[in-house]
Amino acid sequence: MKDSLLNYLKNQTAFLDLDTLDELFTAKKLAEIFGVKRNTISHYLNQLNDEEKLVKINSRPVYYFHKSAFDQQFFPLKYFNYQSIYEIKEEQPLFEQEKDLFSLLIGFNQSLNRSIEQIKAALSYPDGGLPALITGDSGTGKSFLVQLIYQYCLENEMIAEDAPFVTVNCAQYANNPELLTSNLFGHIKGAFTGAQEDKKGAFEAANNGILFLDEVHRLSAEGQEKLFTFLDQGIIYRMGETNQAIPINTRIFFATTESLESSFLTTFIRRIPIQIELPSLMERSKAERLELVYSFLLAEYNKIRLPIKVTGQVLSLLIGAEFKGNIGELKSSIKVTIANAFSEQKQNDQVKVTIYHLPEAILNISSTSIQSSVQEDVLFDEYVTMEQLINKNQPQQQRVLTSFERMLIEFQQNDEHLENCDEQLKTEVDRLFDFLLFETDRQQKHETLIYLTQYIRDTFKQMEASYQIRFDGNSIYAISYYLFQRGNNRWSPEDQQINRLIHKLEQQIERAYPASFHYVERILELCQPKLDLEISSMDKIILAVYLKRADWAKEIGIPKAIIVAHGYATASSIANVANRFLNKDIFESFDMPLDITPQQIAEEILDYTEHNNISNGLVILVDMGSLKEIYQYFPKQITAPVVIMNNVTTPLAISMGEQLQRNLSLQEMVDLSAQQAPLDWEIVYPETNKMKALITTCFTGIGTATQISHLLEKSLPTSCELKIFPYEYQLLKDKKQSETIFSIYDCLGIIGTANPNIEGMPYLSLEELISGNKGQQLNEWLTEVMEPEENKRFNENLVRNFSLEKVIDSVTILDTEKVMGEVDLFMRDFEQIAQMTITNAKRVALYVHISCLIERLIRNMPIETYNGYEKLYQCQNKTLEQIKFAFSVIEKDYSVKIPDSEIAYIFDVLFKNLDKITTDEEF
């Protein structure tokens, strides 16, 4: 009885009318409906109220309704007990977003916005609308969308209440075109063997309703051709009947997962004017994917009726995973996840969902990186609603709505007189713009914001030409960001009392700030068609109050001041902060593209001077030295003094703003500002507790050094705190101890193919490390950062990772055995030609060096310079020719050509002791 009572009230609460409460929400009426005593019903109702499942209104009579159903259908309630219906009405939000049935689609105002516009266009077209083809991968929601289209047509009386909705899956008839024809168009008796009677097809069954052909790509060319007559003329012929046409009035929708070019006749596609593409799950924004996850989790809660707490990591993995089956697979995965958790915890008061309940496939396919931010844990129970979850993730739009409400409440509480609350409204507007400009993430729709800003800027220029006025950069940027955050959402309260309040405030704002209000109206009028905006009266009120500052700027009798800087919103940001700090609009801003010329900047500033009174002087703060040259392009007719200050910063702008308000001379302003905002700098390096580091280097470039560092890092125990940095040999050799790395880190030594000879810095050659001759030396370096046991493990890893084969395999992409064989041939040929023996240490060095050399030649990235090659060739031309001859076998096998510079480096490996500085005597 108790559960039945709760379910009954849940269903009835959706029809609750706060203005006229129905008696079926009373204990008396419920007792009649359930056929039990009134006190029995009262007992259950009070129990459910104590359990916080029902809301109780202690009026006469007492009313009860379902809490979560009310929250979802109307607005969230704070409490479970009220003394009157008026207390509930006071919690009702002043504004509610205007919605239609398509708002049930997650992403209706984002990724699906264009698709929904196309659908509405198709449905509203005269004479039964237009046919539409919906494309998208499997699981993107095509079938659900068509079901929603059917409900939308019913809701908007486009079709009758009893209109049919018929679905045909064409995949079932892919290999039987005759059966397809019969099922779509019907047949007459005797049309084919077995046709014992006349039969209607899907078209006739869907007459005056909606016909949905799913998987339409499975239709053969003949099947597509059979639809031409209906698409062209709106008539069909039953199978076996060629004389009697049947007119059909049905709205037809097709769906496919295939590309239009590969699966359809061109003539068929031409007959479908509306083509709608639904995005895959991963093409949707992160916010949309999170909403989808929320919706499926709420649905699962409603099934198991136990609170579900989902960890943030589970949410992150679900929204980051790439599901081939898109939304359908995401929904199935969530079902499996909740089933896993529920089977373990169904005896508990709450089901906690962790990563251990996820299907293993999600952990494998998730694209969420370890560094990605993790979502907060979320509890799904009877008190949480989808709207609450969404608002939590869309604070900007919610903040705009909150400002609307606060301004109207303030106006109402001050007897609906603007003069009584003028300052309070300005303060609220300032707070809103501070929040939108400084406390919100602008990265998600960066391109949209740039587009809006540019269009608002163009609109303002048009306004300036018409009205001979000047708007500052702050206004351009602020209005752009407001419209960006407001987006496509339409705020339209249904309450007539609220609409009356808005209208009265709008009238008083228009009278109080006539110029600002007129400019706002004109700006929005010009922007509306290009920016797809739905303008409300509250938009005009908010922006008129904000733009009022333009009137104040005209009253200031001090030199004009502007900030000019390159980059997106750089000047605007500095001007905004400085003006807020000074509590006055001193600075106007000019945000300039990086490729703009000083002459173009000068033209912008001259345009500014034509619209503003600069008789008291003009102060220009610029960001880069080139802008100081803009005065060269000023005409001699400018009679007012102009100050140009370079390297603008926020402190400099604030200081200059303070001086401007003191009415000092321009020279005094400049001197004081320069003193108060000097350039101050210092480089701070750690003096104690420097992190230990090793350096790897190679005299032929950074590539080998980088690979050596990777092998060393693989050898280190995980608990060892040691940094390993690859470094350019020439940089170390030239700068020695003055190189920055020695200031930041405590460097223990250098490992490489050449010794840069830095005083006090020990060196270990790569060939010695590979041969094992000096392995103990490296162990001694690392005693400061490793315990004996760690050092032992490191040594074992080193032996394994620094075998000759491992090193060559690491530093190149070549076949290790083949390249080592080629180097063997080179050394054997060279020893025979030059009549010399190559030492083991040199052999190891040549293995590594020539392996890297061959890869460079294959990649067409040789080292083409060698310092002092001419002098070397004069003295060692015979040896260089011998090296080149011995290398010819490698050139032939790998189809490469070795340049002279690379020959010289091989000479260095063979004949120079790279662990010492090369001297003239060695030459």
Side-chain angles (χ1 to χ4, degrees):
M1 173 63 71
K2 184 176 172 181
D3 289 341
S4 299
L5 180 62
L6 184 64
N7 286 330
Y8 178 80
L9 284 173
K10 181 179 181 180
N11 293 328
Q12 293 301 322
T13 299
F15 305 100
L16 183 70
D17 184 350
L18 291 177
D19 293 322
T20 310
L21 285 175
D22 196 297
E23 64 172 355
L24 65 81
F25 295 103
T26 65
K28 179 182 177 183
K29 187 63 177 178
L30 289 167
E32 292 177 15
I33 294 170
F34 283 89
V36 295
K37 294 181 179 180
R38 178 174 172 175
N39 59 351
T40 303
I41 287 291
S42 294
H43 174 71
Y44 287 141
L45 290 171
N46 284 299
Q47 271 193 356
L48 291 168
N49 176 244
D50 292 338
E51 293 169 10
E52 299 187 341
K53 294 178 180 178
L54 296 184
V55 173
K56 181 179 181 180
I57 304 176
N58 288 305
S59 57
R60 291 198 177 187
V62 178
Y63 295 95
Y64 299 85
F65 56 82
H66 197 280
K67 174 69 164 63
S68 62
F70 184 91
D71 289 350
Q72 194 154 4
Q73 181 70 23
F74 301 102
F75 52 88
L77 292 175
K78 298 177 183 177
Y79 310 109
F80 294 88
N81 289 277
Y82 294 87
Q83 295 304 312
S84 69
I85 192 64
Y86 303 106
E87 290 183 359
I88 292 177
K89 286 184 175 181
E90 286 178 1
E91 291 187 16
Q92 185 172 3
L94 281 172
F95 281 84
E96 290 184 334
Q97 195 170 346
E98 184 181 312
K99 296 180 181 179
D100 59 33
L101 201 61
F102 288 115
S103 66
L104 296 175
L105 283 171
I106 290 172
F108 74 97
N109 59 349
Q110 297 173 55
S111 66
L112 301 183
N113 182 267
R114 174 61 181 156
S115 299
I116 291 171
E117 287 180 0
Q118 289 178 285
I119 290 167
K120 289 181 177 178
L123 295 175
S124 61
Y125 199 79
D127 298 328
L130 297 172
L133 174 62
I134 304 169
T135 63
D137 295 340
S138 177
T140 50
K142 299 183 292 297
S143 297
F144 178 72
L145 178 59
V146 178
Q147 291 171 9
L148 208 59
I149 288 170
Y150 174 68
Q151 296 297 327
Y152 180 85
C153 290
L154 290 174
E155 186 180 86
N156 290 273
E157 300 181 351
M158 294 179 173
I159 55 179
E161 289 183 12
D162 57 351
F165 176 55
V166 178
T167 297
V168 176
N169 190 326
C170 299
Q172 298 173 9
Y173 312 101
N175 299 316
N176 195 333
E178 188 176 77
L179 183 59
L180 169 69
T181 303
S182 173
N183 277 279
L184 282 179
F185 303 101
H187 61 255
I188 62 172
K189 182 179 179 180
F192 53 86
T193 302
Q196 301 295 327
E197 58 184 359
D198 292 355
K199 178 186 174 184
K200 292 182 179 180
F203 271 95
E204 288 182 78
N207 196 25
N208 296 317
I210 288 180
L211 175 61
F212 175 41
L213 302 187
D214 199 5
E215 305 286 349
V216 71
H217 62 273
R218 302 296 295 271
L219 285 179
S220 63
E222 293 80 7
Q224 294 177 39
E225 289 173 354
K226 286 182 170 71
L227 294 173
F228 288 173
T229 304
F230 171 75
L231 294 173
D232 282 341
Q233 304 175 40
I235 60 174
I236 65 165
Y237 292 92
R238 287 184 184 175
M239 192 174 178
E241 176 62 73
T242 58
N243 298 321
Q244 188 172 348
I246 303 173
I248 297 294
N249 176 30
T250 185
R251 297 171 182 268
I252 188 167
F253 290 86
F254 307 94
T256 179
T257 56
E258 299 295 310
S259 67
L260 303 185
E261 295 78 13
S262 62
S263 304
F264 297 96
L265 298 175
T266 305
T267 49
F268 179 72
I269 293 300
R270 283 201 202 117
R271 286 167 168 81
I272 306 175
I274 302 292
Q275 295 167 14
I276 300 157
E277 183 176 2
L278 297 185
S280 67
L281 186 60
M282 290 311 293
E283 288 174 330
R284 290 179 174 238
S285 67
K286 180 181 176 182
E288 284 185 39
R289 298 199 300 273
L290 184 59
E291 284 185 42
L292 286 165
V293 170
Y294 283 158
S295 68
F296 296 144
L297 287 169
L298 275 172
E300 294 308 309
Y301 159 73
N302 287 325
K303 288 178 182 175
I304 68 173
R305 302 309 298 175
L306 268 180
I308 302 173
K309 186 171 186 180
V310 184
T311 67
Q313 183 62 4
V314 169
L315 293 172
S316 297
L317 290 170
L318 286 171
I319 64 177
E322 297 184 21
F323 295 101
K324 290 183 180 179
N326 292 290
I327 299 172
E329 188 178 346
L330 170 64
K331 184 177 182 179
S332 298
S333 298
I334 289 175
K335 281 181 177 293
V336 171
T337 301
I338 300 304
N340 290 339
F342 180 67
S343 66
E344 287 180 8
Q345 307 169 52
K346 56 187 174 184
Q347 303 302 325
N348 298 349
D349 295 334
Q350 182 185 96
V351 175
K352 183 171 183 180
V353 181
T354 68
I355 59 172
Y356 303 103
H357 300 117
L358 289 169
E360 290 183 7
I362 290 183
L363 300 174
N364 295 331
I365 64 178
S366 174
S367 63
T368 305
S369 67
I370 295 173
Q371 290 80 20
S372 297
S373 58
V374 177
Q375 300 290 321
E376 294 180 1
D377 295 357
V378 176
L379 178 65
F380 295 86
D381 58 17
E382 60 184 317
Y383 308 119
V384 72
T385 66
M386 194 66 185
E387 185 178 12
Q388 291 169 337
L389 294 169
I390 293 171
N391 287 340
K392 187 177 180 181
N393 286 281
Q394 296 179 345
Q396 299 93 340
Q397 294 178 5
Q398 190 60 33
R399 182 62 177 82
V400 172
L401 181 59
T402 301
S403 288
F404 287 0
E405 294 178 358
R406 287 176 179 170
M407 292 178 72
L408 287 174
I409 290 170
E410 192 71 47
F411 181 62
Q412 187 180 49
Q413 291 177 348
N414 281 275
D415 302 323
E416 300 181 11
H417 291 301
L418 178 62
E419 60 269 22
N420 296 342
C421 57
D422 187 32
E423 289 304 317
Q424 293 93 319
L425 298 189
K426 288 176 184 175
T427 300
E428 179 56 39
V429 170
D430 283 341
R431 286 175 183 163
L432 171 63
F433 279 92
D434 281 350
F435 174 82
L436 295 178
L437 291 168
F438 300 112
E439 297 181 36
T440 54
D441 178 17
R442 66 187 67 177
Q443 296 303 318
Q444 185 182 354
K445 294 185 179 177
H446 186 65
E447 295 301 324
T448 307
L449 183 54
I450 291 175
Y451 172 78
L452 280 168
T453 304
Q454 185 56 49
Y455 193 78
I456 294 294
R457 191 185 300 280
D458 293 343
T459 301
F460 274 29
K461 286 183 179 179
Q462 184 176 344
M463 292 279 294
E464 289 164 354
S466 301
Y467 295 100
Q468 295 298 299
I469 55 174
R470 182 71 184 182
F471 296 106
D472 64 11
N474 300 342
S475 299
I476 294 169
Y477 186 59
I479 291 176
S480 302
Y481 209 73
Y482 171 82
L483 295 176
F484 167 60
Q485 294 295 359
R486 243 272 277 116
N488 290 329
N489 297 290
R490 292 171 289 174
W491 309 107
S492 55
E494 298 179 0
D495 190 298
Q496 293 303 312
Q497 181 63 21
I498 297 172
N499 284 321
R500 184 199 62 78
L501 199 65
I502 294 171
H503 180 65
K504 191 170 183 179
L505 177 58
E506 182 182 15
Q507 286 181 322
Q508 293 188 32
I509 290 286
E510 185 176 7
R511 287 196 298 269
Y513 317 138
S516 295
F517 190 86
H518 178 67
Y519 297 153
V520 166
E521 278 196 315
R522 182 60 180 152
I523 290 167
L524 295 176
E525 182 183 339
L526 291 170
C527 292
Q528 189 169 5
K530 291 294 182 69
L531 301 183
D532 294 331
L533 296 174
E534 291 287 343
I535 302 301
S536 73
S537 294
M538 285 306 300
D539 293 323
K540 297 178 186 178
I541 291 168
I542 289 267
L543 294 178
V545 172
Y546 178 80
L547 208 62
K548 175 65 174 66
R549 62 181 59 191
D551 293 333
W552 305 333
K554 294 176 184 177
E555 300 169 1
I556 300 175
I558 60 175
K560 295 292 183 183
I562 61 176
I563 297 174
V564 183
H566 293 92
Y568 168 68
T570 304
S572 295
S573 296
I574 296 175
N576 271 319
V577 173
N579 289 341
R580 295 291 296 155
F581 185 87
L582 298 166
N583 203 27
K584 269 193 177 180
D585 294 313
I586 302 293
F587 294 101
E588 298 193 36
S589 56
F590 290 83
D591 297 308
M592 297 296 175
L594 292 174
D595 56 354
I596 199 169
T597 65
Q599 182 175 356
Q600 289 172 308
I601 296 172
E603 290 171 357
E604 289 276 352
I605 295 173
L606 289 172
D607 185 52
Y608 169 82
T609 63
E610 290 176 7
H611 296 90
N612 289 271
N613 178 15
I614 63 166
S615 58
N616 293 318
L618 176 64
V619 175
I620 307 174
L621 305 185
V622 298
D623 65 339
M624 288 195 282
S626 62
L627 296 186
K628 289 185 68 175
E629 310 304 319
I630 59 177
Y631 72 90
Q632 297 177 5
Y633 301 101
F634 287 179
K636 295 180 180 179
Q637 293 89 325
I638 290 186
T639 55
V642 176
V643 174
I644 301 179
M645 295 188 74
N646 198 17
N647 299 325
V648 61
T649 61
T650 302
L652 175 62
I654 292 172
S655 177
M656 178 56 79
E658 289 173 339
Q659 313 315 327
L660 283 165
Q661 294 181 85
R662 293 172 61 188
N663 290 319
L664 302 176
S665 68
L666 292 177
Q667 187 63 53
E668 288 175 314
M669 292 181 195
V670 171
D671 292 341
L672 286 171
S673 297
Q675 292 173 15
Q676 293 177 8
L679 178 64
D680 190 15
W681 64 271
E682 183 177 356
I683 300 177
V684 180
Y685 293 114
E687 296 180 2
T688 60
N689 298 322
K690 289 183 182 179
M691 182 170 279
K692 308 293 183 183
L694 281 179
I695 296 174
T696 62
T697 189
C698 176
F699 77 101
T700 57
I702 192 97
T704 304
T706 301
Q707 297 302 333
I708 297 170
S709 71
H710 288 168
L711 287 175
L712 285 169
E713 286 171 349
K714 286 173 64 176
S715 303
L716 288 174
T718 54
S719 57
C720 179
E721 294 186 0
L722 176 71
K723 293 286 186 181
I724 301 176
F725 296 101
Y727 237 88
E728 294 279 1
Y729 168 76
Q730 201 61 42
L731 202 59
L732 292 172
K733 183 180 176 183
D734 293 344
K735 290 196 172 183
K736 308 291 185 187
Q737 284 283 5
S738 63
E739 180 55 27
T740 306
I741 190 172
F742 297 112
S743 300
I744 300 174
Y745 295 95
D746 181 5
C747 295
L748 302 177
I750 300 172
I751 299 173
T753 61
N755 189 353
N757 291 284
I758 299 174
E759 186 178 351
M761 190 58 54
Y763 170 78
L764 179 62
S765 69
L766 179 62
E767 54 264 33
E768 289 174 327
L769 185 62
I770 294 173
S771 63
N773 295 338
K774 294 287 186 71
Q776 188 58 36
Q777 180 179 335
L778 179 57
N779 289 338
E780 291 173 3
W781 292 358
L782 302 180
T783 53
E784 297 182 52
V785 293
M786 290 187 192
E787 298 294 330
E789 186 62 32
E790 291 178 321
N791 208 317
K792 180 182 177 183
R793 288 204 308 274
F794 172 68
N795 204 42
E796 293 170 353
N797 294 338
L798 202 65
V799 171
R800 183 170 61 254
N801 290 332
F802 275 82
S803 66
L804 185 58
E805 291 83 356
K806 279 276 189 179
V807 172
I808 292 175
D809 189 52
S810 174
V811 299
T812 76
I813 62 169
L814 304 176
D815 181 291
T816 305
E817 290 189 15
K818 181 181 178 183
V819 77
M820 288 180 70
E822 298 283 357
V823 179
D824 280 334
L825 283 174
F826 164 80
M827 290 189 290
R828 186 180 65 199
D829 289 352
F830 181 75
E831 284 180 323
Q832 188 174 351
I833 296 167
Q835 295 296 303
M836 65 170 286
T837 301
I838 302 173
T839 66
N840 286 340
K842 296 292 186 184
R843 283 178 176 277
V844 172
L846 284 168
Y847 276 121
V848 177
H849 177 84
I850 295 178
S851 299
C852 296
L853 165 59
I854 294 171
E855 182 175 3
R856 288 200 297 274
L857 295 180
I858 291 172
R859 292 177 181 270
N860 198 24
M861 299 171 61
I863 300 172
E864 297 180 338
T865 57
Y866 179 92
N867 190 24
Y869 178 79
E870 293 78 9
K871 189 175 181 181
L872 177 65
Y873 186 76
Q874 288 174 6
C875 299
Q876 301 291 347
N877 64 319
K878 181 180 178 181
T879 306
L880 292 172
E881 290 298 328
Q882 290 172 338
I883 294 171
K884 188 167 185 176
F885 182 80
F887 199 83
S888 62
V889 65
I890 296 176
E891 288 182 313
K892 181 179 178 182
D893 288 350
Y894 284 100
S895 301
V896 295
K897 185 73 174 173
I898 185 169
D900 292 339
S901 53
E902 293 279 17
I903 295 289
Y905 281 114
I906 296 177
F907 177 89
D908 285 348
V909 176
L910 282 164
F911 295 105
K912 289 188 179 182
N913 185 357
L914 292 171
D915 296 352
K916 299 178 181 177
I917 301 175
T918 303
T919 63
D920 290 339
E921 285 73 12
E922 286 179 303
F923 169 78

